Every structure is written in C-alpha cells, then in structure tokens.
Amino acid sequence: MGFASPAHGGNALPLEQAPCSALPVTGVLEHYPQGFVVPRHAHARGHLIYTSTGVLLVQADSGQWLVPPTTAVWLRPGVPHQLQAVTAVSAHGLLIDETLCQPLPAADCVVHVSPLVRELIAELVQLPHQGQSQARERLLGLLLVEEVASAAPLPLYLPWPEEPLLREICAALMQEPAQSWSAEQLAGHYALTAKTLQRRFVKSTGLTLGKWRQSMRLMRSIQSLLQGRPMTHAAFESGYDSLSAYSVAFKKQFGYPPSQFDKSLKNKLDVADPMSLRQPL
C-alpha cells in the first residue's frame, strides 16, 4: 500500500526496505476506516492488494477496481494508484519482485483469492522485510506467484480512457450515474457527433458507451449495497428504472443476482476473517 491508517497518524508505512528485500515477496497488513483515502503512489515491485474484511476501491489511470473479500487486485510494477475504503477494511499489501512478475497477468485486474492464497498471504505479511531469508520464506512467495498466475480475472473492472475529453465525460457520468442523457445528447454537449463519440470511446476503452455506462452503474450499485443501502435504493440511485431491470443486468454482469450478493458477500464483511486477528509487524 504505502500509507498508514489514521491510527498510525496517516504516515507512510515502512515499506522503503521492501523493494530491496532478499525475499521475493514481502507485505504489510493495515486497517482503514470507511471513507479513508490512501493518496496516489506507486511501487517498483508488483503489487497485490487483498482485503480480508471490507471493500476497497482501487483507482489507476487505466481503470477502477472494486476489491471485496475473497478477491485481490493485481497491479503491475510502477503503476500509480489510489485506494479508497468503501467500508472499513483490513488490507494486505504484498510486493512482488519484478523478476517474478512475468507469469502474472499482463494487465492490472481483480483475481479470486482461494483459501490457499489467503493463507499464503497471512504468512507473508508476517515476514520481516530484512534479515537473512530462509528457504521456507522464499518458497511461500514463489507459491503465491504460481497460484495468482493461474487465477482468472473477475468482472470488477471499469476501464478508464486516456484521452482527456473522454476522461472528462466519464467523470461527469460517474458524478451522476442516474442521469439519462442519450449518446446523441451527451455527444452534442461536448460538441461531438454520436458516431464520433462512440468510435473514440470504443477505441479508448474497448467498450461501447452503453456497456461502459452499465458497468459503471453496476459497480456504483455494489458500493451502495456494501454500505447497507436497500437493493431498490442501489438500483434507482444507479439509474435503473426498476428493480427487475437492475437484477437482470446485475446477473448478466456478475453471474448471480444482487439478492445473492447482498446475502452472501455482505455477510462476509461483518465476520472477522481469522487473518484479520493476526497482528502486523
């Protein structure tokens, strides 16, 4: 990660030794209250961020990722990023030596955290950054890399365009996810034709404007659900005219309805993971 929680004065975490550690993988455990923002920063090593409890929103130039429990976000070496605690979180930040990153995903993404990976993370965040490394400590890191390399990316990603005008448009849409401007109205507001806007949008994000807007609305709705708001509130706040339309879109995007998400994943936020009881170094 890079910055401590308010409990530690919000100062930078002692990660300056991690990049030159003899261990291939090192890490820290930190706790953030709801709404806390870790300012934009970057690491020379690859970065894996896992939350045992709570949900993080990770923002980089290339996109935004929601990171609920049972998932982790993978960031390539040198990627500037900012963290925001959607709920109170226990976040585990692992730094992976650049020489080991080749088999890991070529693009930043969210991956599933298996029980094995979860326990590996629990061990790795306890290791000192300096000192003579043991074979077991090195092997723990190598096994983590192998397991993460085999994990499939999850659809909790929102691509972010590089083009300044499109970034401005996306930021405006995120400010008012429920607004109902058509592509023609939106394009006209920015002195573009709808055809030009759609063409530039696909080129910059890989998605049509409509699909990007739907993904954005669904990700915003997940934040509402995780903050304890009713499904109807999450649906209408995110721009859906009915709960049924929202449920259909949610299931198509994530593979299960919001009611299942609300009952299963949200419950996990309220149950302390055994990892969260371990003390950070």
Side-chain angles (χ1 to χ4, degrees):
M1 271 105 34
F3 291 81
S5 71
H8 295 99
N11 298 316
L13 290 171
L15 289 180
E16 63 275 2
Q17 295 179 335
C20 57
S21 171
L23 291 175
V25 180
T26 58
V28 295
L29 167 61
E30 188 55 85
H31 307 281
Y32 298 119
Q34 180 175 349
F36 186 76
V37 174
V38 176
R40 184 179 171 90
H41 62 287
H43 306 285
R45 288 188 168 194
H47 197 24
L48 188 73
I49 308 170
Y50 165 68
T51 61
S52 56
T53 59
V55 175
L56 275 177
L57 177 65
V58 179
Q59 299 170 290
D61 290 342
S62 57
Q64 301 187 5
W65 300 264
L66 274 179
V67 191
T70 74
T71 71
V73 67
W74 158 248
L75 300 173
R76 295 161 296 150
V79 172
H81 57 282
Q82 173 182 293
L83 309 179
Q84 179 180 346
V86 177
T87 68
V89 296
S90 295
H92 303 66
L94 300 181
L95 295 178
I96 301 174
D97 190 271
E98 311 92 282
T99 60
L100 299 179
C101 292
Q102 193 278 330
L104 294 170
D108 311 314
C109 61
V110 171
V111 296
H112 174 65
V113 171
S114 68
L116 174 57
V117 171
R118 182 190 67 203
E119 293 305 317
L120 288 170
I121 291 172
E123 292 294 327
L124 287 164
V125 297
Q126 304 301 311
L127 301 179
H129 296 156
Q130 295 298 310
Q132 185 175 4
S133 63
Q134 303 298 319
R136 174 181 177 275
E137 297 170 343
R138 294 193 299 272
L139 290 172
L140 286 173
L142 294 176
L143 181 56
L144 176 80
V145 171
E146 289 294 323
E147 290 297 308
V148 173
S150 65
L154 298 174
L156 295 171
Y157 166 65
L158 188 66
W160 203 251
E162 295 184 1
E163 186 178 337
L165 178 59
L166 296 185
R167 294 174 74 91
E168 180 181 343
I169 292 173
C170 289
L173 291 174
M174 289 197 71
Q175 286 294 320
E176 299 184 69
Q179 61 80 23
S180 58
W181 277 10
S182 66
E184 289 75 16
Q185 291 173 315
L186 189 62
H189 183 76
Y190 290 93
L192 299 172
T193 66
K195 184 176 181 180
T196 298
L197 175 60
Q198 291 284 16
R199 175 176 53 79
R200 287 165 64 174
F201 210 90
V202 171
K203 182 179 180 181
S204 190
T205 68
L207 298 175
T208 64
L209 175 61
K211 288 185 177 180
W212 185 92
R213 180 185 280 180
Q214 176 165 288
S215 293
M216 178 271 292
R217 285 173 167 173
L218 290 171
M219 285 185 64
R220 287 293 297 270
S221 77
I222 284 180
Q223 294 181 56
S224 292
L225 292 175
L226 292 172
Q227 289 167 346
R229 299 189 179 108
M231 279 190 293
T232 50
H233 179 95
F236 296 140
E237 182 184 55
S238 303
Y240 288 90
D241 296 329
S242 68
L243 184 57
S244 60
Y246 168 64
S247 297
V248 168
F250 194 102
K251 185 174 182 179
K252 184 176 181 181
Q253 178 89 355
F254 301 116
Y256 47 81
S259 57
Q260 182 178 332
F261 173 90
D262 194 43
K263 292 176 181 178
S264 59
L265 182 56
K266 194 151 78 83
N267 285 343
K268 294 178 183 178
L269 304 183
D270 300 323
V271 178
D273 188 303
M275 289 179 57
S276 66
L277 301 179
R278 305 191 184 194
Q279 296 298 315
L281 296 176

